[in-house]
Amino acid sequence: METSSRRTRDKGMLTIFAILSVKCMQINAFHHPYSSWFFVSTTSPSRVAPLRQRSPQLCLSSSPGNEVIGTKKKTLYSIESLLDDGDIDGALLELKRLEGGEEGPSNVGEVAAAAYHTVIEACCAGGHVQDQGRKKGENGINTRKVDLIDVAEDLLQSMNNATAHAYETVISGYARRGKWSDALQKLVLMEEEFRPIGRNKSKSDEQSVPSLNVYQAVLVACARAGQYDNVTSLLTKMRRRGVRPNVYTYNSLLNVCAKDKETRWKEALSLLSQCQREPGIDPDLVTYTTAMRACIRGRRSDKAIEIFRVVKDMGIELDVYCYTTAMDACAKGKMWKTALSILREMKEKGIEPNEVTYGVAVAACGNGGRWEKALELLDQMREMNMKINTITYNAAVSALAKAARTESKQQRRFDFKQKGGKYHATGNQPQNSEVNLLWCKTLDLLDCMESEGVLRDSFTFSSAISTCGAAGRWEEAMHLINTMKADGDRGIKPNRFAYTSAITACGNSGEWEPALKLFNDMKLDGLQPDLVSYNALIGAGMTANQPEQVFGLWDEMLQPNKDKIAPDIVTLTEVIGTLDRATGKINRDRADKVFSDAVKLGIILRQDSLDSSWEVDLSGMSFPVARAACRFIFCRLVEEMKKDKVQTVRDFSLITGASRMREYVREVLRDELNPAIYCVVPKSEQGTLVVKEKVVKNYIDGHL
């Protein structure tokens, strides 16, 4: 019986490949005149529907013994031939004919089971077919897709004595399709049907329990769906039924955790712990490495490094993949020194790093702000005649871009100068030799990629444009944007990050018109500007002294939009800074409106902060924002007094810190408010300005 069943399964496997052709054929279903089954046809479009019920048996032969067996074996071969030709409806019809007839010798049932196995395997390996049927009361055609797994399910139900192989085939089919609930439900039914030997002696001729393979299929399906509670309970149930998971079981589950879009590092560590405690199982290097990958994906580089150290302490022989994974954890965790130490250890132990290993090391140096080390690693790869791919080059270009942005931020500081009681922010930054060096290195890498025939993708250009932005090289940024547009047929198009970086480059150079053009081009390309894009353009407007356009952008951001883009503290600082630099009452009124809008949006002077009606912290504000805040605070105080919201007047405190901000605010209160407000500095609180009650009351009375 085992030989026949094995031979049947081998033949049935051939149909898995043949059935794939069904998806490319037009499918028809018709109602067979001699039964209540629906069959699939390859002649014209129609539908596939589940088997509704067992049909009356058709007597094909009344001859007993070998004559019946021979006839049914021929029918089995006919079914296999039909499936080889992709003719499922013909195979189903032959299966129906094979089921008919009187019971012959005992091995007739074996032939029938083999035929069912063959068709069920074919259906489980197939995909979807078109199910077309007429709507009731209409002449139109209602078309829907039907999964062949449903046909396999109905075939399983129609078997006189469903076999373990048929159950497992259907369960595996559900699992491969991601239908974990159906797979789990069918597995429960199989466990009830095939109880362990000793509980149900009548099933002693069948497989006593579901096999490890089918359990693994269901476990993986549940894990991919995030049903880890079911994974845990199913593992427990397996052990109770005497089916022990092996190392491959745990490796498969850990691999799902490592590839899941959600962070599954906790589940991965739990599975690793279970594998370590499982009797008779020793986790292998794949187990530990896959667990490390899951931790890295969950942004827990520390956990991944802990696992790596445990593996080393256990004396397990490490391979290049494990070392590279550990270095990837270092790259994600900004541990560049540890990454280079692991790279040296690999070489000392005679394990040759590959291109991926070096690419990860370059990324680790870049994330750690060590662009010089990143370029040194590229030189080492060239010396060893290693092919440097796009990913590795991108890691180096990104390292230069990050270093350039960091250097630019350190250089770009508001330089406030006092002129007639006002503070102005200088726009253009001085030339920075360090940033220019980084730009030249970036340009060299782009040239190397082009000369070596390495594809420069969107990430390459975006990172290079980011370096342009930090260096203020707006013309080069525009050139790279145009280059990306020219390569659009290769899938290289400017993305939002590239556009924003180019706008920043124009802004740093005081080029308003090119910045505005890039902003509009981004919209024309179907890219909705985000908060960073708006802030970059507003920064360009501030540098180029464009108060009207900047104020218009503020109003534009306040309009309802589907992306829920709203200003933040950076937007507020740059808009008010721009308006503060401009002259005229109109710009002062605009600044007051912007500040009032910001308060309503909760950007500043939040109600949940420590600020109160009689104490406000100005220490974290820029000078122009603090100036607008002084006007707003005392104007609000007058309005609240008019509405009787304030019953008594008290001393008013302004926290400025013991810095230039204190004297600046003091001058604003004295010179710009009318009547003038004079304040004192308490001896015990040098970072605070206090407006006495009498002065506050005098100011309020002057506006009532």
Side-chain angles (χ1 to χ4, degrees), residues 536-585:
L537 185 60
I538 289 172
M542 181 178 68
T543 305
N545 195 21
Q546 299 287 332
E548 185 174 352
Q549 287 79 359
V550 167
F551 182 71
L553 288 171
W554 173 270
D555 279 343
E556 182 178 325
M557 295 181 71
L558 295 182
Q559 300 302 316
N561 57 83
K562 61 180 181 179
D563 296 310
K564 298 182 180 180
I565 299 173
D568 63 358
I569 189 62
V570 175
T571 318
L572 174 67
T573 302
E574 293 187 339
V575 171
I576 290 186
T578 305
L579 298 172
D580 188 76
R581 293 173 60 189
T583 58
K585 182 177 183 302

Side-chain angles (χ1 to χ4, degrees), residues 592-607:
D592 290 341
K593 179 186 179 302
V594 168
F595 192 91
S596 178
D597 292 339
V599 173
K600 294 177 183 177
L601 292 172
I603 299 174
I604 203 164
L605 300 184
R606 298 169 59 95
Q607 293 182 355

Side-chain angles (χ1 to χ4, degrees), residues 12 28 243 266 270 309 333 463 482 515 577 644 675:
N28 180 36
V243 182
K266 292 182 180 180
S270 175
R309 290 170 179 165
S463 299
N482 293 330
D644 294 331

Side-chain angles (χ1 to χ4, degrees), residues 218 296 348 439 533-534 681:
V218 179
I296 295 171
E348 291 171 359
W439 159 244
S533 305
Y534 271 102
V681 179

